mmCIF file of all heavy atoms in Angstrom:
data_model
loop_
_atom_site.group_PDB
_atom_site.id
_atom_site.type_symbol
_atom_site.label_atom_id
_atom_site.label_comp_id
_atom_site.label_asym_id
_atom_site.label_seq_id
_atom_site.Cartn_x
_atom_site.Cartn_y
_atom_site.Cartn_z
ATOM 1 N N PRO A 61 -30.410 26.809 -60.962
ATOM 2 C CA PRO A 61 -31.305 27.880 -60.517
ATOM 3 C C PRO A 61 -30.553 29.052 -59.880
ATOM 4 O O PRO A 61 -30.978 30.198 -60.005
ATOM 5 C CB PRO A 61 -32.220 27.201 -59.491
ATOM 6 C CG PRO A 61 -31.855 25.779 -59.437
ATOM 7 C CD PRO A 61 -30.672 25.550 -60.298
ATOM 8 N N GLY A 62 -29.446 28.779 -59.218
ATOM 9 C CA GLY A 62 -28.670 29.855 -58.606
ATOM 10 C C GLY A 62 -28.109 30.807 -59.649
ATOM 11 O O GLY A 62 -28.119 32.029 -59.477
ATOM 12 N N ARG A 63 -27.627 30.263 -60.741
ATOM 13 C CA ARG A 63 -27.096 31.101 -61.818
ATOM 14 C C ARG A 63 -28.213 31.900 -62.496
ATOM 15 O O ARG A 63 -28.003 33.029 -62.917
ATOM 16 C CB ARG A 63 -26.345 30.264 -62.837
ATOM 17 C CG ARG A 63 -25.049 29.706 -62.308
ATOM 18 C CD ARG A 63 -24.290 29.001 -63.421
ATOM 19 N NE ARG A 63 -23.126 28.326 -62.910
ATOM 20 C CZ ARG A 63 -21.919 28.881 -62.837
ATOM 21 N NH1 ARG A 63 -21.746 30.102 -63.236
ATOM 22 N NH2 ARG A 63 -20.908 28.187 -62.366
ATOM 23 N N GLN A 64 -29.395 31.317 -62.608
ATOM 24 C CA GLN A 64 -30.524 32.044 -63.192
ATOM 25 C C GLN A 64 -30.918 33.220 -62.303
ATOM 26 O O GLN A 64 -31.175 34.322 -62.793
ATOM 27 C CB GLN A 64 -31.720 31.116 -63.392
ATOM 28 C CG GLN A 64 -31.516 30.113 -64.504
ATOM 29 C CD GLN A 64 -32.686 29.163 -64.639
ATOM 30 O OE1 GLN A 64 -33.594 29.152 -63.824
ATOM 31 N NE2 GLN A 64 -32.654 28.342 -65.679
ATOM 32 N N LEU A 65 -30.954 32.999 -60.979
ATOM 33 C CA LEU A 65 -31.278 34.085 -60.062
ATOM 34 C C LEU A 65 -30.221 35.184 -60.109
ATOM 35 O O LEU A 65 -30.548 36.374 -60.069
ATOM 36 C CB LEU A 65 -31.413 33.554 -58.630
ATOM 37 C CG LEU A 65 -32.650 32.719 -58.349
ATOM 38 C CD1 LEU A 65 -32.573 32.121 -56.953
ATOM 39 C CD2 LEU A 65 -33.897 33.555 -58.499
ATOM 40 N N LEU A 66 -28.964 34.785 -60.204
ATOM 41 C CA LEU A 66 -27.885 35.762 -60.290
ATOM 42 C C LEU A 66 -28.004 36.588 -61.565
ATOM 43 O O LEU A 66 -27.837 37.813 -61.546
ATOM 44 C CB LEU A 66 -26.537 35.048 -60.244
ATOM 45 C CG LEU A 66 -25.293 35.919 -60.256
ATOM 46 C CD1 LEU A 66 -25.281 36.832 -59.027
ATOM 47 C CD2 LEU A 66 -24.054 35.051 -60.284
ATOM 48 N N ARG A 67 -28.328 35.953 -62.673
ATOM 49 C CA ARG A 67 -28.484 36.670 -63.947
ATOM 50 C C ARG A 67 -29.667 37.642 -63.870
ATOM 51 O O ARG A 67 -29.571 38.783 -64.327
ATOM 52 C CB ARG A 67 -28.685 35.658 -65.073
ATOM 53 C CG ARG A 67 -28.685 36.258 -66.449
ATOM 54 C CD ARG A 67 -28.677 35.245 -67.581
ATOM 55 N NE ARG A 67 -29.481 34.069 -67.368
ATOM 56 C CZ ARG A 67 -28.988 32.832 -67.209
ATOM 57 N NH1 ARG A 67 -27.690 32.638 -67.223
ATOM 58 N NH2 ARG A 67 -29.790 31.794 -67.051
ATOM 59 N N GLU A 68 -30.763 37.212 -63.245
ATOM 60 C CA GLU A 68 -31.918 38.096 -63.097
ATOM 61 C C GLU A 68 -31.593 39.273 -62.172
ATOM 62 O O GLU A 68 -32.018 40.400 -62.432
ATOM 63 C CB GLU A 68 -33.108 37.317 -62.542
ATOM 64 C CG GLU A 68 -33.697 36.342 -63.528
ATOM 65 C CD GLU A 68 -34.750 35.442 -62.898
ATOM 66 O OE1 GLU A 68 -35.116 35.665 -61.726
ATOM 67 O OE2 GLU A 68 -35.207 34.512 -63.585
ATOM 68 N N ALA A 69 -30.846 39.020 -61.103
ATOM 69 C CA ALA A 69 -30.466 40.102 -60.182
ATOM 70 C C ALA A 69 -29.572 41.112 -60.884
ATOM 71 O O ALA A 69 -29.718 42.329 -60.700
ATOM 72 C CB ALA A 69 -29.770 39.529 -58.958
ATOM 73 N N ARG A 70 -28.654 40.635 -61.697
ATOM 74 C CA ARG A 70 -27.786 41.557 -62.451
ATOM 75 C C ARG A 70 -28.600 42.406 -63.410
ATOM 76 O O ARG A 70 -28.327 43.591 -63.590
ATOM 77 C CB ARG A 70 -26.723 40.772 -63.211
ATOM 78 C CG ARG A 70 -25.637 40.246 -62.332
ATOM 79 C CD ARG A 70 -24.583 39.526 -63.134
ATOM 80 N NE ARG A 70 -23.535 39.034 -62.256
ATOM 81 C CZ ARG A 70 -22.758 38.021 -62.532
ATOM 82 N NH1 ARG A 70 -22.903 37.365 -63.684
ATOM 83 N NH2 ARG A 70 -21.827 37.639 -61.684
ATOM 84 N N GLN A 71 -29.600 41.798 -64.050
ATOM 85 C CA GLN A 71 -30.458 42.546 -64.980
ATOM 86 C C GLN A 71 -31.245 43.612 -64.228
ATOM 87 O O GLN A 71 -31.373 44.749 -64.705
ATOM 88 C CB GLN A 71 -31.410 41.590 -65.710
ATOM 89 C CG GLN A 71 -32.272 42.255 -66.733
ATOM 90 C CD GLN A 71 -31.469 42.840 -67.883
ATOM 91 O OE1 GLN A 71 -30.408 42.338 -68.232
ATOM 92 N NE2 GLN A 71 -31.966 43.902 -68.464
ATOM 93 N N ILE A 72 -31.761 43.287 -63.056
ATOM 94 C CA ILE A 72 -32.512 44.258 -62.254
ATOM 95 C C ILE A 72 -31.612 45.409 -61.832
ATOM 96 O O ILE A 72 -32.002 46.585 -61.908
ATOM 97 C CB ILE A 72 -33.151 43.569 -61.030
ATOM 98 C CG1 ILE A 72 -34.278 42.642 -61.491
ATOM 99 C CG2 ILE A 72 -33.672 44.598 -60.031
ATOM 100 C CD1 ILE A 72 -34.800 41.727 -60.406
ATOM 101 N N LEU A 73 -30.395 45.092 -61.406
ATOM 102 C CA LEU A 73 -29.459 46.145 -61.005
ATOM 103 C C LEU A 73 -29.067 47.028 -62.189
ATOM 104 O O LEU A 73 -28.935 48.245 -62.043
ATOM 105 C CB LEU A 73 -28.209 45.540 -60.372
ATOM 106 C CG LEU A 73 -28.393 44.954 -58.978
ATOM 107 C CD1 LEU A 73 -27.124 44.252 -58.530
ATOM 108 C CD2 LEU A 73 -28.770 46.040 -57.999
ATOM 109 N N LYS A 74 -28.906 46.421 -63.353
ATOM 110 C CA LYS A 74 -28.566 47.197 -64.545
ATOM 111 C C LYS A 74 -29.690 48.165 -64.896
ATOM 112 O O LYS A 74 -29.448 49.324 -65.232
ATOM 113 C CB LYS A 74 -28.290 46.260 -65.720
ATOM 114 C CG LYS A 74 -27.845 46.973 -66.982
ATOM 115 C CD LYS A 74 -27.851 46.010 -68.153
ATOM 116 C CE LYS A 74 -26.474 45.579 -68.498
ATOM 117 N NZ LYS A 74 -26.431 44.746 -69.719
ATOM 118 N N GLU A 75 -30.920 47.695 -64.814
ATOM 119 C CA GLU A 75 -32.065 48.562 -65.099
ATOM 120 C C GLU A 75 -32.199 49.658 -64.054
ATOM 121 O O GLU A 75 -32.560 50.794 -64.374
ATOM 122 C CB GLU A 75 -33.345 47.734 -65.155
ATOM 123 C CG GLU A 75 -33.430 46.823 -66.358
ATOM 124 C CD GLU A 75 -34.616 45.882 -66.301
ATOM 125 O OE1 GLU A 75 -35.407 45.959 -65.339
ATOM 126 O OE2 GLU A 75 -34.753 45.057 -67.222
ATOM 127 N N ALA A 76 -31.912 49.343 -62.779
ATOM 128 C CA ALA A 76 -32.017 50.324 -61.708
ATOM 129 C C ALA A 76 -30.945 51.409 -61.863
ATOM 130 O O ALA A 76 -31.201 52.584 -61.545
ATOM 131 C CB ALA A 76 -31.879 49.661 -60.357
#
Side-chain angles (χ1 to χ4, degrees):
R63 290 186 187 269
Q64 289 177 352
L65 288 173
L66 183 61
R67 187 171 39 247
E68 289 172 7
R70 285 182 180 155
Q71 183 64 30
I72 290 169
L73 288 174
K74 184 191 256 186
E75 290 172 2

